[in-house]
């Protein structure tokens, strides 16, 4: 079964907590054009990750042996709050608060993740936009996440003495 991406989970949390519509929040690089209207728009992307654990273990009995595998990593998520008015400046604290909300805590528990309370950075990226006067606030924050899966495997406790003839 495919794993639900962290950016998708973050998108749903922010959308819910800020009461955004589907066309106001998206995952970065999906060929979305920012509408020519006032209000807040949010783009979320995954910048990269640092793996800090990759292990497997075995549970069960000789009748039913299970291999449990997991990968733990620190993902860097980037959120861009974008607006033609001052909405990006006004709402970026709400974006940060949404990641510490009860909904965020429930989602984190459900997916084996933890949102850090302090972002790596926040930056005003409005200057490169030039005279278009678009406000753009970038928030980069860490998410600790463990991906895991369990698979039933065969258990061998005896071997035959058959000789393979060529």
């Amino acid at each position: 079964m495919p794993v639900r991406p962290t950016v998708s989970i973050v998108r749903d949390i922010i959308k819910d907590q800020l009461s955004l519509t589907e066309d106001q929040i998206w995952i970065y690089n999906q060929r979305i054009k920012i509408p020519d209207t006032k209000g807040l728009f949010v783009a979320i992307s995954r910048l990269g990750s640092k793996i800090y654990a990759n292990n497997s273990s075995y549970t069960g009995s000789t009748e039913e042996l299970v291999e449990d595998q997991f990968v733990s990593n620190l993902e860097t998520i980037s959120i861009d709050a974008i607006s033609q008015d001052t909405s990006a400046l006004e709402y970026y604290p709400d974006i940060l608060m949404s990641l510490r909300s009860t909904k965020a805590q429930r989602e984190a528990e459900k997916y084996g993740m933890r949102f850090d309370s302090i972002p790596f950075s926040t930056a005003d990226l409005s200057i490169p936009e030039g005279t278009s006067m678009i406000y753009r606030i970038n928030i980069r924050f860490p998410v600790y996440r463990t991906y895991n899966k369990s698979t039933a495997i065969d258990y061998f406790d005896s071997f035959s003495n058959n000789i393979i003839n060529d």
Side-chain angles (χ1 to χ4, degrees), residues 92-125:
Y92 93 86
D94 292 354
I95 292 171
L96 291 169
M97 287 185 275
S98 71
L99 297 173
R100 300 300 292 171
S101 67
T102 301
K103 179 175 179 70
Q105 291 174 18
R106 288 183 180 148
E107 293 295 298
E109 185 177 307
K110 179 179 176 181
Y111 290 103
M113 56 198 306
R114 182 174 67 86
F115 300 108
D116 209 338
S117 59
I118 306 296
F120 284 139
S121 66
T122 58
D124 185 346
L125 302 179

Side-chain angles (χ1 to χ4, degrees), residues 3-18:
V3 175
R4 185 155 186 235
T6 303
V7 290
S8 178
I9 298 165
V10 170
R11 178 196 175 278
D12 290 349
I13 291 168
I14 294 170
K15 180 180 177 283
D16 177 74
Q17 294 296 297
L18 274 68

Side-chain angles (χ1 to χ4, degrees), residues 2-157:
V3 175
R4 185 155 186 235
T6 303
V7 290
S8 178
I9 298 165
V10 170
R11 178 196 175 278
D12 290 349
I13 291 168
I14 294 170
K15 180 180 177 283
D16 177 74
Q17 294 296 297
L18 274 68
S19 300
L20 299 175
T21 61
E22 287 292 325
D23 63 341
Q24 285 181 283
I25 185 166
W26 60 88
I27 296 172
Y28 177 75
N29 217 6
Q30 290 188 321
R31 301 185 77 150
I32 305 283
K33 184 178 179 194
I34 300 170
D36 192 18
T37 59
K38 293 184 179 186
L40 178 67
F41 297 92
V42 179
I44 302 165
S45 62
R46 180 182 176 275
L47 299 179
S49 66
K50 167 74 172 137
I51 307 298
Y52 59 87
N54 185 5
N55 289 307
S56 64
S57 61
Y58 301 94
T59 57
S61 63
T62 56
E63 289 82 34
E64 189 175 299
L65 188 62
V66 175
E67 180 180 30
D68 298 311
Q69 299 172 302
F70 70 91
V71 173
S72 297
N73 68 89
L74 168 62
E75 296 182 33
T76 301
I77 303 297
S78 176
I79 300 172
D80 285 321
I82 306 160
S83 67
Q84 289 185 9
D85 56 10
T86 58
S87 296
L89 297 172
E90 296 163 5
Y91 283 101
Y92 93 86
D94 292 354
I95 292 171
L96 291 169
M97 287 185 275
S98 71
L99 297 173
R100 300 300 292 171
S101 67
T102 301
K103 179 175 179 70
Q105 291 174 18
R106 288 183 180 148
E107 293 295 298
E109 185 177 307
K110 179 179 176 181
Y111 290 103
M113 56 198 306
R114 182 174 67 86
F115 300 108
D116 209 338
S117 59
I118 306 296
F120 284 139
S121 66
T122 58
D124 185 346
L125 302 179
S126 304
I127 294 171
E129 300 294 339
T131 58
S132 65
M133 300 305 292
I134 293 178
Y135 288 95
R136 183 174 165 203
I137 305 297
N138 177 262
I139 304 165
R140 291 183 182 187
F141 68 95
V143 176
Y144 298 89
R145 183 160 185 195
T146 298
Y147 298 92
N148 56 30
K149 72 176 185 176
S150 296
T151 309
I153 59 172
D154 293 329
Y155 179 81
F156 297 100
D157 63 351

